[in-house]
Amino acid sequence: MHKFLKLYIDLPRHCRTTIISDHDRVANLLMAAMRKYGYRPQNNTPARWGFGVITKPCNPDSKNPKQWLHLVQRVIVGSSDPDIAAIIAQIQASDLLEPNQVEGAGLDLRMAKLYAASPWIDTEAASFYCISPIRVTEQHDKQNSYNSYLQTGAQLNQLLNRTMQARFRRTFDLTLIPDSLYVRSCGGDITAGMAIKTLNDGKPLVIKGLNMPFMLTGAAEDLRDVWYSGLGRSTARGFGCLEMQQ
C-alpha cells in the first residue's frame, strides 16, 4: 500500500490534442479518476492532495484572453494522506478521460505514461521551484471576503502555516526564504496568474499567486506533506505544486 505518492502523468511529445484553456479541465479529469476508486471529497474541508500542470502555450503572442490555449505536457498529482495516496496509486491511463456530455469534447490523457516519483527523503530544508503559483489568502477589511496574499516575509509564513494546519489538522512551522537574486532580477514581481475556469463569456477566470524559487525550512514531516500534497490553499484546483531544485 502507498503511504505517500506523487504521480507523474507524461504525455507523448507528438501529442497535439491535449489542449486546455483553464486548469478546471484537469481537475475534473483527476476527480473523475479518483472517484472511480472511492474518493469522496468532503464539503468545506481543505484538500489533502494537490496537482500541477506543465503546459506549452499554443498562441503565446495572443492578446485575446479567449485564445489563451495551452498544450498539456505533464500532470503531477500527489498526496501524503495514506487513504488518498492509495486511491491515486490505482489510477490507470485508461481512466484519464474528462467526463463531458458532448462526445469527444472531454480532455483525453489516455495516451499518457504514468509513473511514481522516487520516495521522499526526510529533510528539514529544501530548495523548491513552483510548477504552479502558491496561494494563501487574508481577510479583507474585516469583511467576509478574502484576497490572495502576494508578498514574502513573516506574514506569508504565518498564512502558509495557518493554511497547512487547516488542511492537515496539526501544527506547522514552515519558513519560506525567497531566492533574493531571482526576486531582484524580476524587479520584485513574483506573482503569476493561473486560469482556474472559463466564464460564460468565454474569458478565463485568472487568480494570482506567488511564483518564485525559494528555500523552505521546517520539520521533516511538514516538508514531506508539502512535497506530496502541495503548499498553501486551493491545491485541488491546481495551485501550490512544487518541484525540487536540482
Side-chain angles (χ1 to χ4, degrees), residues 101-143:
Q101 294 180 347
V102 179
E103 183 71 23
L107 177 64
D108 189 349
L109 305 184
R110 290 176 295 180
M111 72 293 290
K113 176 184 177 182
L114 281 60
Y115 59 96
S118 299
W120 174 256
I121 299 174
D122 281 347
T123 179
E124 295 181 353
S127 295
F128 293 103
Y129 66 92
C130 299
I131 297 298
S132 53
I134 300 165
R135 184 167 184 254
V136 292
T137 59
E138 62 175 349
Q139 193 169 5
H140 178 63
D141 293 337
K142 297 183 180 180
Q143 299 174 355

Side-chain angles (χ1 to χ4, degrees), residues 125-191:
S127 295
F128 293 103
Y129 66 92
C130 299
I131 297 298
S132 53
I134 300 165
R135 184 167 184 254
V136 292
T137 59
E138 62 175 349
Q139 193 169 5
H140 178 63
D141 293 337
K142 297 183 180 180
Q143 299 174 355
N144 291 325
S145 60
Y146 288 80
N147 292 341
S148 296
Y149 187 82
L150 301 173
Q151 301 177 46
T152 60
Q155 176 71 0
L156 173 63
N157 292 328
Q158 180 181 347
L159 294 172
L160 282 173
N161 287 313
R162 184 191 70 185
T163 299
M164 297 299 289
Q165 180 175 331
R167 291 176 64 197
F168 289 92
R169 298 179 183 175
R170 63 174 178 80
T171 301
F172 275 72
D173 188 21
L174 297 167
T175 299
L176 187 150
I177 305 169
D179 183 323
S180 59
L181 181 61
Y182 175 86
V183 174
R184 290 198 302 268
S185 70
C186 61
D189 184 5
I190 52 174
T191 66

